Amino acid sequence: MQMTDKHHSVIEATGRGSVTAQPDIALLRLGVATRANEPSQATDENAKIVAKVIAAIKQAGIPESAIQTAGLSLQPVYEWDEANRRNVLLGYRAENNVTVRTPVERAGKVYDAGIKAGANEAGGIVFTIADDTKYRRAALAEATRLAVEEIETVAQALKVTLIGPVQAQVISEGGPRPFEAAIRKAEIDTPILPGQLEIVELVRVTFEIGRP
């Protein structure tokens, strides 16, 4: 809270509005890592498995537009030879990771399909909301109300008259805070529990006051 006296006397306060909501989108990261003696062998084998993983994801009801390559790499694999004090080349490791955007209710099925098709790396799961507009507006309304209430409380304590608002500034925290959870390979259908997301907005309000 701040009270200033520049061109006119004002009281300023910042309100924080918070709304919780059920996520409806899950972002899965699945990957395939392969190793071989030659670079081409590692990448060729990797490509074959990744194609199977993507086909399985599509079979689970996910369109290709919701599948995105998230990372490609090919690295030599070395082992330290203590006797000769040098690195010995053992082969090459190829990796290909994809991010899948899926409705929450399909996330477990999609994850299991990818694992069964050959994915051997999983980078966790992030929950978010496809359209957070109504939640952001509710948080903005709460933040504004709380800021005004603080200003009114201070004005009453100081016995000054509020003339009216002269400025309001939205200090956005970026919409819903994505929630990330670990996932692992399972022999049965993987349960996906999205929990709740918190949408937070900050609003700074300034009121002009009359001099006592």
Side-chain angles (χ1 to χ4, degrees):
M1 178 140 344
Q2 182 179 1
M3 184 172 178
T4 62
D5 186 5
K6 294 181 180 178
H7 302 295
H8 46 247
S9 297
V10 300
I11 299 177
E12 180 182 279
T14 299
R16 180 183 186 275
S18 174
V19 176
T20 57
Q22 183 82 19
D24 55 6
I25 295 294
L27 301 175
L28 300 172
R29 188 182 178 99
L30 296 172
V32 174
T34 53
R35 181 170 158 177
N37 292 331
E38 298 296 330
S40 59
Q41 293 175 342
T43 55
D44 288 349
E45 180 65 19
N46 192 281
K48 292 176 183 177
I49 300 174
V50 169
K52 293 179 181 179
V53 170
I54 292 175
I57 292 172
K58 291 180 180 179
Q59 188 67 31
I62 304 301
E64 187 171 330
S65 60
I67 307 170
Q68 182 179 22
T69 299
L72 283 171
S73 70
L74 176 65
Q75 300 290 337
V77 179
Y78 294 98
E79 182 181 75
W80 179 250
D81 183 349
E82 184 64 31
N84 296 303
R85 306 292 296 173
R86 66 184 181 90
N87 282 320
V88 177
L89 180 64
L90 299 181
Y92 294 86
R93 176 185 170 92
E95 291 187 30
N96 189 338
N97 294 281
V98 296
T99 299
V100 183
R101 183 181 178 91
T102 172
V104 166
E105 61 271 16
R106 291 188 188 176
K109 180 180 179 181
V110 171
Y111 172 75
D112 290 337
I115 294 296
K116 290 176 182 178
N120 54 11
E121 293 187 344
I125 179 170
V126 175
F127 297 109
T128 188
I129 299 173
D131 185 0
D132 66 339
T133 302
K134 66 178 181 180
Y135 303 111
R136 287 189 61 252
R137 288 176 178 172
L140 285 169
E142 181 186 14
T144 304
R145 177 182 60 80
L146 292 174
V148 172
E149 286 181 358
E150 287 197 14
I151 290 173
E152 291 173 342
T153 299
V154 173
Q156 184 177 4
L158 295 174
K159 295 182 172 56
V160 296
T161 302
L162 292 175
I163 296 176
V166 294
Q167 186 179 27
Q169 180 183 3
V170 176
I171 311 170
S172 177
E173 291 201 355
R177 299 176 178 178
F179 172 73
E180 183 169 357
I183 51 179
R184 61 184 179 82
K185 186 174 181 179
E187 297 301 325
I188 60 174
D189 289 345
T190 301
I192 301 295
L193 304 175
Q196 294 283 309
L197 291 182
E198 182 184 27
I199 295 91
V200 176
E201 295 291 344
L202 302 176
V203 177
R204 182 180 296 122
V205 178
T206 304
F207 267 65
E208 183 179 1
I209 61 173
R211 295 185 181 277

